[in-house]
Amino acid sequence: MALVEKTFNDGIGTITLNDQKNLNALSTHLVDDIIAALKQLKTKETRVVIIRAPEGVKVWSAGHDVKELPTGMIDPLTYNDPLRRLVRELQFFPHPIIAMMEGSVWGGGCELVMSCDILIASDKSTFAITPAKLGVAYNLSGVLNFMQNISFPVMKEILFTAQPISAQRAVQIGMINHAVPVEQLEEVTLKMANVIKKNAPLSISVIKEEMRVLAKAFPLNPEDFEKIQGNRRVVYNSADFKEGVSAFFEKRTPVYKGE
Ligand code: YXS
């Protein structure tokens, strides 16, 4: 059974994340269904795609499915992991994607929406980026995605505290485009989609790809990359990472010892 609903109407595709019993946690199954829906919408007729959750959700996405996080000496966020595949699919998708959010967005769910092109949230939404809460060694391209729109000090506050921020704060720091009353959310999103769909799709598509390429256009020497990967291996092999995941499932506060 598909964990997403896909509709298409007059140039606008809509993908609704609908694994509500798992709070839309980004499991391999849910991610594969989102990617399948995106591939079906990769046509000349599509002008805009909206990614959303069902109306009235309290949790838009609980982030990476913690049940799928390996804690046994394996990098949890390598190139072919579900979240990494999904982020690339969104960034390479040839048409604008609008993330329409209500409720709370957690962890990898924030990287999902930040990999979309335009973000419109209800003014009661919250956003929390949580590797530090769980002891996760986030990966380089993920951190780069977080850095794109937000200044270093603000991004470090969000990452190091792992606390939710309000939609208003997210607009203020440039993380999302708009925060609107929930009753206006769908109307505002569709209005924007209908304006975009009347513009030149080839021009929009090449601008999106130019911005994707330019955002990643800076040298990283192999030795620095290998140093980071070595540092990350210490983190995902650490007792702290195991403690973070155990504490999550035991519903208790983790006790980190820095080892
Ligand atoms: O106790 P049961 O078996 O009913 O399961 C509970 C939760 O364990 C489960 N659940 C999750 N399972 C896997 N992965 C998740 N991300 C996840 N989140 C929740 O769902 C059942 C109901 O959860 P419960 O009782 O807490 O519901 P609630 O309505 O009281 O609270 C909803 C949330 C979302 C506020 C709460 O579930 C929560 O704080 N979830 C964790 C959000 C989070 O920290 N996500 C980050 C996941 S790790 C990730 O995305 C990246 C790897 S990173 O951390 O690096 O960014």
Side-chain angles (χ1 to χ4, degrees):
M1 185 267 261
L3 296 178
V4 300
E5 283 162 29
K6 175 180 68 66
T7 59
F8 183 78
N9 178 22
D10 191 17
I12 299 173
T14 301
I15 298 173
T16 303
L17 278 55
N18 202 13
D19 187 13
Q20 294 194 62
K21 70 175 173 30
N22 279 322
L23 304 174
N24 285 337
L26 298 175
S27 61
T28 303
H29 186 173
L30 177 56
V31 166
D32 286 346
D33 285 357
I34 299 170
I35 291 175
L38 282 168
K39 287 189 187 320
Q40 289 161 11
L41 288 167
K42 208 180 283 185
T43 67
K44 257 171 62 61
E45 291 69 37
T46 298
R47 292 284 185 273
V48 183
V49 170
I50 296 167
I51 292 189
R52 60 169 298 167
E55 190 173 344
V57 288
K58 293 282 172 285
V59 180
W60 195 89
S61 172
H64 203 295
D65 188 330
V66 179
K67 297 190 289 295
E68 295 189 0
L69 275 180
T71 55
M73 322 295 224
I74 301 171
D75 185 341
L77 291 171
T78 51
Y79 188 79
N80 290 317
D81 281 294
L83 178 60
R84 307 312 331 147
R85 289 189 289 113
L86 177 56
V87 162
R88 289 196 302 274
E89 197 68 35
L90 295 165
Q91 292 175 339
F92 279 88
F93 190 75
H95 310 296
I97 301 175
I98 303 177
M100 181 180 121
M101 299 152 284
E102 57 183 296
S104 54
V105 187
W106 300 84
C110 286
E111 194 184 350
L112 185 174
V113 297
M114 290 172 75
S115 298
C116 295
D117 300 295
I118 295 169
L119 294 82
I120 303 175
S122 91
D123 53 14
K124 298 282 183 297
S125 295
T126 59
F127 302 87
I129 304 180
T130 52
K133 187 172 83 173
L134 278 158
V136 170
Y138 221 79
N139 65 304
L140 272 170
S141 62
V143 171
L144 181 62
N145 286 333
F146 289 141
M147 286 164 44
Q148 295 307 311
N149 321 339
I150 302 168
S151 73
F152 267 39
V154 173
M155 197 62 244
K156 287 177 182 177
E157 177 187 334
I158 291 172
L159 285 166
F160 298 164
T161 64
Q163 289 303 301
I165 64 167
S166 70
Q168 290 74 11
R169 177 79 172 127
V171 170
Q172 190 186 43
I173 62 175
M175 179 177 173
I176 71 173
N177 299 65
H178 304 286
V180 300
V182 68
E183 56 276 3
Q184 297 171 21
L185 179 60
E186 189 156 355
E187 178 199 349
V188 169
T189 304
L190 281 172
K191 190 166 172 216
M192 175 145 350
N194 278 296
V195 167
I196 293 172
K197 82 170 186 183
K198 294 188 179 73
N199 286 332
L202 296 178
S203 167
I204 288 172
S205 185
V206 78
I207 291 168
K208 173 172 175 175
E209 178 60 4
E210 285 166 330
M211 291 179 78
R212 187 194 67 77
V213 168
L214 290 169
K216 299 180 184 290
F218 59 87
L220 175 62
N221 84 49
E223 198 167 280
D224 284 345
F225 174 75
E226 288 165 358
K227 175 173 174 282
I228 290 287
Q229 287 301 86
N231 294 353
R232 291 187 60 244
R233 176 173 293 182
V234 170
V235 179
Y236 62 72
N237 284 344
S238 67
D240 274 0
F241 181 37
K242 288 188 180 58
E243 164 65 4
V245 174
S246 306
F248 176 84
F249 287 117
E250 294 160 17
K251 300 187 189 296
R252 60 177 173 80
T253 304
V255 177
Y256 292 126
K257 296 182 178 139
E259 55 194 34

